[in-house]
Amino acid sequence: MQNPTTMADAPDAPGSIVIGEGVQARGTFIVPGRAVLNGTLEGTLVAKDLFVGKTGKGIGKFKAEVADLHGQIHDTLVTTGSLIIRATGRITGVVYYREVEIEKSGQIEGKLSQGDAPAEVLSASPAPQPDA
């Protein structure tokens, strides 16, 4: 597993995406590498690695092999490997994980399940669409 500094400091690696602080994005994102979230993302994101910085906020459905949370995720998070919730991290909603580590003051509110998520979890509802 990569350490969080590497995940945050190498955003220009091929197949990666960065949502910067102050940026608001909506939609569905399929990221073959690393996703760094320091702004707000509303929708669906599937990535190999997910790093949510202290200013990052995800609203919707998120799936990653490894997730390292310093910020917030609201709705659904699925990790197929490790989930690390740092002291400033917060998850509200439904969480599926294989391994979990929660630092003192890290928060989870909702349903926590160890093991695989049902297949329909990420496809249950479409990403939010902007008002026309």
Side-chain angles (χ1 to χ4, degrees):
M1 180 175 84
Q2 298 172 329
N3 68 47
T5 303
T6 303
M7 287 178 72
D9 289 347
D12 59 346
S16 63
I17 187 172
V18 176
I19 308 294
E21 186 172 351
V23 174
Q24 295 183 358
R26 288 185 182 184
T28 300
F29 298 84
I30 307 299
V31 182
R34 165 183 316 115
V36 177
L37 180 57
N38 290 314
T40 300
L41 177 78
E42 189 173 339
T44 301
L45 181 136
V46 178
K48 182 174 186 284
D49 297 321
L50 172 62
F51 177 86
V52 181
K54 288 181 183 180
T55 59
K57 183 176 183 180
I59 304 165
K61 300 183 185 313
F62 296 82
K63 181 177 180 180
E65 183 178 317
V66 176
D68 189 353
L69 305 180
H70 295 255
Q72 303 175 41
I73 295 288
H74 301 277
D75 192 348
T76 304
L77 174 64
V78 177
T79 59
T80 58
S82 299
L83 167 60
I84 304 166
I85 303 169
R86 304 295 179 175
T88 55
R90 178 181 173 113
I91 301 174
T92 56
V94 179
V95 179
Y96 295 91
Y97 68 95
R98 289 215 184 268
E99 298 176 357
V100 65
E101 176 183 334
I102 305 171
E103 290 183 351
K104 185 176 181 179
S105 299
Q107 299 176 20
I108 298 176
E109 183 177 327
K111 180 182 174 189
L112 195 61
S113 296
Q114 186 174 24
D116 294 332
E120 68 275 2
V121 166
L122 288 177
S123 61
S125 62
Q129 298 299 314
D131 295 330

PDB file of all heavy atoms in Angstrom, residues 69-70 85-90 102-107:
ATOM      1  N   LEU A  69      -8.675   8.367   4.119  1.00  0.00           N
ATOM      2  CA  LEU A  69      -9.576   9.500   4.305  1.00  0.00           C
ATOM      3  C   LEU A  69      -9.116  10.440   5.408  1.00  0.00           C
ATOM      4  O   LEU A  69      -9.066  10.061   6.579  1.00  0.00           O
ATOM      5  CB  LEU A  69     -10.984   9.014   4.640  1.00  0.00           C
ATOM      6  CG  LEU A  69     -11.612   8.029   3.664  1.00  0.00           C
ATOM      7  CD1 LEU A  69     -12.995   7.642   4.136  1.00  0.00           C
ATOM      8  CD2 LEU A  69     -11.666   8.616   2.282  1.00  0.00           C
ATOM      9  N   HIS A  70      -8.829  11.661   5.003  1.00  0.00           N
ATOM     10  CA  HIS A  70      -8.570  12.749   5.940  1.00  0.00           C
ATOM     11  C   HIS A  70      -9.788  13.673   5.947  1.00  0.00           C
ATOM     12  O   HIS A  70      -9.950  14.464   6.856  1.00  0.00           O
ATOM     13  CB  HIS A  70      -7.336  13.547   5.513  1.00  0.00           C
ATOM     14  CG  HIS A  70      -6.070  12.759   5.564  1.00  0.00           C
ATOM     15  ND1 HIS A  70      -5.133  12.926   6.546  1.00  0.00           N
ATOM     16  CD2 HIS A  70      -5.588  11.780   4.760  1.00  0.00           C
ATOM     17  CE1 HIS A  70      -4.114  12.097   6.340  1.00  0.00           C
ATOM     18  NE2 HIS A  70      -4.376  11.395   5.262  1.00  0.00           N
ATOM     19  N   ILE A  85      -9.139   5.534   8.037  1.00  0.00           N
ATOM     20  CA  ILE A  85      -9.843   6.759   8.396  1.00  0.00           C
ATOM     21  C   ILE A  85      -8.947   7.509   9.373  1.00  0.00           C
ATOM     22  O   ILE A  85      -8.697   7.042  10.492  1.00  0.00           O
ATOM     23  CB  ILE A  85     -11.214   6.462   9.028  1.00  0.00           C
ATOM     24  CG1 ILE A  85     -12.043   5.625   8.058  1.00  0.00           C
ATOM     25  CG2 ILE A  85     -11.927   7.763   9.392  1.00  0.00           C
ATOM     26  CD1 ILE A  85     -13.292   5.045   8.653  1.00  0.00           C
ATOM     27  N   ARG A  86      -8.441   8.631   8.918  1.00  0.00           N
ATOM     28  CA  ARG A  86      -7.524   9.431   9.728  1.00  0.00           C
ATOM     29  C   ARG A  86      -8.300  10.208  10.786  1.00  0.00           C
ATOM     30  O   ARG A  86      -9.529  10.263  10.770  1.00  0.00           O
ATOM     31  CB  ARG A  86      -6.728  10.375   8.834  1.00  0.00           C
ATOM     32  CG  ARG A  86      -5.957   9.673   7.730  1.00  0.00           C
ATOM     33  CD  ARG A  86      -4.875   8.778   8.292  1.00  0.00           C
ATOM     34  NE  ARG A  86      -4.173   8.091   7.206  1.00  0.00           N
ATOM     35  CZ  ARG A  86      -3.122   7.330   7.379  1.00  0.00           C
ATOM     36  NH1 ARG A  86      -2.641   7.110   8.575  1.00  0.00           N
ATOM     37  NH2 ARG A  86      -2.550   6.753   6.350  1.00  0.00           N
ATOM     38  N   ALA A  87      -7.590  10.864  11.690  1.00  0.00           N
ATOM     39  CA  ALA A  87      -8.212  11.581  12.807  1.00  0.00           C
ATOM     40  C   ALA A  87      -9.216  12.621  12.335  1.00  0.00           C
ATOM     41  O   ALA A  87     -10.222  12.868  12.995  1.00  0.00           O
ATOM     42  CB  ALA A  87      -7.133  12.234  13.671  1.00  0.00           C
ATOM     43  N   THR A  88      -8.983  13.223  11.174  1.00  0.00           N
ATOM     44  CA  THR A  88      -9.895  14.250  10.646  1.00  0.00           C
ATOM     45  C   THR A  88     -10.919  13.662   9.677  1.00  0.00           C
ATOM     46  O   THR A  88     -11.760  14.388   9.153  1.00  0.00           O
ATOM     47  CB  THR A  88      -9.103  15.350   9.918  1.00  0.00           C
ATOM     48  OG1 THR A  88      -8.294  14.729   8.904  1.00  0.00           O
ATOM     49  CG2 THR A  88      -8.219  16.126  10.879  1.00  0.00           C
ATOM     50  N   GLY A  89     -10.868  12.352   9.440  1.00  0.00           N
ATOM     51  CA  GLY A  89     -11.755  11.702   8.475  1.00  0.00           C
ATOM     52  C   GLY A  89     -13.130  11.404   9.035  1.00  0.00           C
ATOM     53  O   GLY A  89     -13.296  11.154  10.227  1.00  0.00           O
ATOM     54  N   ARG A  90     -14.117  11.437   8.130  1.00  0.00           N
ATOM     55  CA  ARG A  90     -15.503  11.159   8.540  1.00  0.00           C
ATOM     56  C   ARG A  90     -16.237  10.483   7.386  1.00  0.00           C
ATOM     57  O   ARG A  90     -16.183  10.946   6.247  1.00  0.00           O
ATOM     58  CB  ARG A  90     -16.206  12.458   8.909  1.00  0.00           C
ATOM     59  CG  ARG A  90     -17.654  12.242   9.306  1.00  0.00           C
ATOM     60  CD  ARG A  90     -18.339  13.554   9.635  1.00  0.00           C
ATOM     61  NE  ARG A  90     -19.745  13.291   9.852  1.00  0.00           N
ATOM     62  CZ  ARG A  90     -20.344  13.419  11.016  1.00  0.00           C
ATOM     63  NH1 ARG A  90     -19.670  13.819  12.055  1.00  0.00           N
ATOM     64  NH2 ARG A  90     -21.622  13.159  11.142  1.00  0.00           N
ATOM     65  N   ILE A 102      -8.847   2.890  12.002  1.00  0.00           N
ATOM     66  CA  ILE A 102      -9.456   4.168  12.361  1.00  0.00           C
ATOM     67  C   ILE A 102      -8.579   4.832  13.409  1.00  0.00           C
ATOM     68  O   ILE A 102      -8.372   4.286  14.496  1.00  0.00           O
ATOM     69  CB  ILE A 102     -10.885   3.993  12.922  1.00  0.00           C
ATOM     70  CG1 ILE A 102     -11.751   3.213  11.938  1.00  0.00           C
ATOM     71  CG2 ILE A 102     -11.505   5.349  13.244  1.00  0.00           C
ATOM     72  CD1 ILE A 102     -13.098   2.802  12.488  1.00  0.00           C
ATOM     73  N   GLU A 103      -8.047   6.002  13.076  1.00  0.00           N
ATOM     74  CA  GLU A 103      -7.265   6.752  14.045  1.00  0.00           C
ATOM     75  C   GLU A 103      -8.198   7.373  15.081  1.00  0.00           C
ATOM     76  O   GLU A 103      -9.388   7.583  14.815  1.00  0.00           O
ATOM     77  CB  GLU A 103      -6.476   7.872  13.349  1.00  0.00           C
ATOM     78  CG  GLU A 103      -5.356   7.372  12.479  1.00  0.00           C
ATOM     79  CD  GLU A 103      -4.536   8.501  11.862  1.00  0.00           C
ATOM     80  OE1 GLU A 103      -4.933   9.679  11.964  1.00  0.00           O
ATOM     81  OE2 GLU A 103      -3.483   8.195  11.275  1.00  0.00           O
ATOM     82  N   LYS A 104      -7.644   7.665  16.237  1.00  0.00           N
ATOM     83  CA  LYS A 104      -8.417   8.319  17.286  1.00  0.00           C
ATOM     84  C   LYS A 104      -9.032   9.598  16.725  1.00  0.00           C
ATOM     85  O   LYS A 104      -8.344  10.374  16.051  1.00  0.00           O
ATOM     86  CB  LYS A 104      -7.503   8.649  18.466  1.00  0.00           C
ATOM     87  CG  LYS A 104      -8.229   9.220  19.657  1.00  0.00           C
ATOM     88  CD  LYS A 104      -7.284   9.421  20.814  1.00  0.00           C
ATOM     89  CE  LYS A 104      -8.044   9.978  21.994  1.00  0.00           C
ATOM     90  NZ  LYS A 104      -7.152  10.168  23.145  1.00  0.00           N
ATOM     91  N   SER A 105     -10.322   9.786  16.939  1.00  0.00           N
ATOM     92  CA  SER A 105     -11.138  10.914  16.466  1.00  0.00           C
ATOM     93  C   SER A 105     -11.685  10.714  15.058  1.00  0.00           C
ATOM     94  O   SER A 105     -12.499  11.500  14.609  1.00  0.00           O
ATOM     95  CB  SER A 105     -10.404  12.262  16.544  1.00  0.00           C
ATOM     96  OG  SER A 105     -10.062  12.546  17.882  1.00  0.00           O
ATOM     97  N   GLY A 106     -11.240   9.698  14.322  1.00  0.00           N
ATOM     98  CA  GLY A 106     -11.859   9.381  13.035  1.00  0.00           C
ATOM     99  C   GLY A 106     -13.293   8.930  13.274  1.00  0.00           C
ATOM    100  O   GLY A 106     -13.592   8.327  14.315  1.00  0.00           O
ATOM    101  N   GLN A 107     -14.206   9.220  12.335  1.00  0.00           N
ATOM    102  CA  GLN A 107     -15.623   8.960  12.580  1.00  0.00           C
ATOM    103  C   GLN A 107     -16.279   8.156  11.466  1.00  0.00           C
ATOM    104  O   GLN A 107     -16.029   8.411  10.289  1.00  0.00           O
ATOM    105  CB  GLN A 107     -16.378  10.279  12.710  1.00  0.00           C
ATOM    106  CG  GLN A 107     -15.910  11.147  13.845  1.00  0.00           C
ATOM    107  CD  GLN A 107     -16.636  12.472  13.867  1.00  0.00           C
ATOM    108  OE1 GLN A 107     -17.699  12.625  13.296  1.00  0.00           O
ATOM    109  NE2 GLN A 107     -16.049  13.445  14.546  1.00  0.00           N
TER     110      GLN A 107
END
